Amino acid sequence: FPTTLRSEYCSDIFGERGILLGAVHGIAEALWRRLVAQGVSTTDAFVRTTECITGPLTATISKRGIKAVYDDLPEADKPTFATAYAAAYKPAFDIHIECYEDVACGNEIKSVINACNRHARLPMGKIDGTPMWVVGESVRANRVPGAAIPVDPFTAGVYCAVMMSQIDVLWEKGHPLSEIINESVIESVDSLNPYMHARGVAYMVDNCSTTARLGARKWAPRYDYNISQQCLAALEAGDKPDMEAFEAFKTHPIHPAILECAKLRPSVDIALTGSNADDAARFDIV
């Protein structure tokens, strides 16, 4: 797994602001609001967005790669995935590359230092108090052990587009394949998403470093905004997305590389048991 200190610094700080923490938080909120606005119940909307991402999408990508999400869909659902993917790819890439370049030039770490200097007056606030995440608590409490969580093809298309567009930014910037996959796929599905699945977004984000926690809070709203304004609004207006990005997805060279890295995956999944009150991982998780 070759890298350099500069390469690892850029991919790590960028990745946690992207699909690892910030982007997944932002797109989950955007997708939940979309469904609720369409009349879906708040509970079903949570299941079709966050639960779908942290459940079946995470499991499939972890073991069989991103393309398997699309390949496994019923034929009737594949056009929905394709449309969502095509519509979400460019808005996500837009924020990804801005974030990457802010990291690479040092601006992002300057903002972290500035924020830390303000913490005595303005400490980090909660990020799971909105209705969506309150609903998530009841969804998790009422899960039926062993019951399958359905794959929503629209959620799947958006999520995979955000993950793939991050991969493409790192590829464009010259990062090694193994590093690209680790910072865009492995850490997401084998480390961080399981935290959100177990106890919600704050538990995932706030078990990370101060740098990551600040970055996720800063960039999640940017992903939310771009997906809402440029992807969801366009589809709602009846605009047809450019399908070029989706066509590239089907034959992207990252897919065999992900499968090669998956051969090194441990045979067991991360396990999260007990409750927040029992967990000593961080003293400020409540």
Side-chain angles (χ1 to χ4, degrees):
F1 281 52
T3 189
T4 65
L5 184 59
R6 178 169 182 79
S7 181
E8 170 62 19
Y9 158 80
C10 287
S11 64
D12 182 79
I13 303 299
F14 162 62
E16 64 200 18
R17 283 148 178 77
I19 195 64
L20 302 185
L21 297 172
V24 69
H25 183 180
I27 64 175
E29 295 213 8
L31 293 171
W32 182 83
R33 289 196 311 272
R34 167 183 174 267
L35 290 176
V36 171
Q38 292 175 351
V40 176
S41 74
T42 56
T43 295
D44 287 347
F46 192 88
V47 171
R48 289 174 58 181
T49 55
T50 303
E51 290 283 282
C52 174
I53 290 169
T54 61
L57 300 188
T58 289
T60 297
I61 294 169
S62 172
K63 297 178 174 66
R64 296 189 292 118
I66 304 168
K67 189 169 179 290
V69 172
Y70 174 74
D71 291 340
D72 287 354
L73 289 172
E75 289 302 315
D77 286 344
K78 288 183 176 179
T80 300
F81 177 103
T83 298
Y85 184 101
Y89 179 90
K90 188 174 180 181
F93 187 94
D94 180 17
I95 304 301
H96 282 324
I97 199 161
E98 177 188 349
C99 181
Y100 182 95
E101 291 176 354
D102 275 2
V103 170
C105 73
N107 285 351
E108 188 62 21
I109 289 301
K110 288 178 184 177
S111 76
V112 169
I113 294 169
N114 289 338
C116 288
N117 289 337
R118 295 190 296 268
H119 277 173
R121 293 178 59 203
L122 299 166
M124 279 187 272
K126 286 172 59 64
I127 57 172
D128 61 353
T130 56
M132 171 185 174
W133 300 108
V134 173
V135 167
E137 294 176 10
S138 65
V139 170
R140 291 189 296 275
N142 290 298
R143 283 181 188 145
V144 177
I149 298 169
V151 173
D152 183 283
F154 192 92
T155 294
V158 170
Y159 181 72
C160 290
V162 177
M163 183 173 278
M164 289 295 298
S165 55
Q166 176 165 313
I167 287 169
D168 284 343
V169 167
L170 289 170
W171 195 304
E172 179 179 308
K173 297 298 184 179
H175 289 263
L177 280 182
S178 57
E179 185 173 78
I180 294 171
I181 294 166
N182 184 59
E183 298 292 352
S184 305
V185 183
I186 296 172
E187 286 193 21
S188 176
V189 298
D190 290 328
S191 177
L192 292 163
N193 281 358
Y195 275 72
M196 181 156 61
H197 191 69
R199 301 180 207 169
V201 67
Y203 190 73
M204 175 183 71
V205 171
D206 288 333
N207 263 296
C208 295
S209 68
T210 295
T211 301
R213 296 170 70 194
L214 286 166
R217 283 165 165 81
K218 176 181 175 181
W219 289 92
R222 296 293 311 283
Y223 288 101
D224 182 340
Y225 181 90
N226 248 33
I227 291 297
S228 296
Q229 296 290 340
Q230 296 185 25
C231 167
L232 304 183
L235 293 176
E236 186 69 22
D239 296 348
K240 302 296 183 184
D242 183 348
M243 301 304 290
E244 181 180 356
F246 173 70
E247 293 302 320
F249 164 74
K250 292 192 290 185
T251 58
H252 200 292
I254 201 67
H255 298 314
I258 291 172
L259 295 179
E260 191 65 26
C261 287
K263 294 176 182 178
L264 303 175
R265 184 191 187 281
S267 59
V268 295
D269 298 329
I270 187 171
L272 292 159
T273 59
S275 66
N276 286 3
D278 300 329
D279 198 328
R282 293 194 64 87
F283 69 89
D284 54 352
I285 295 293
V286 294

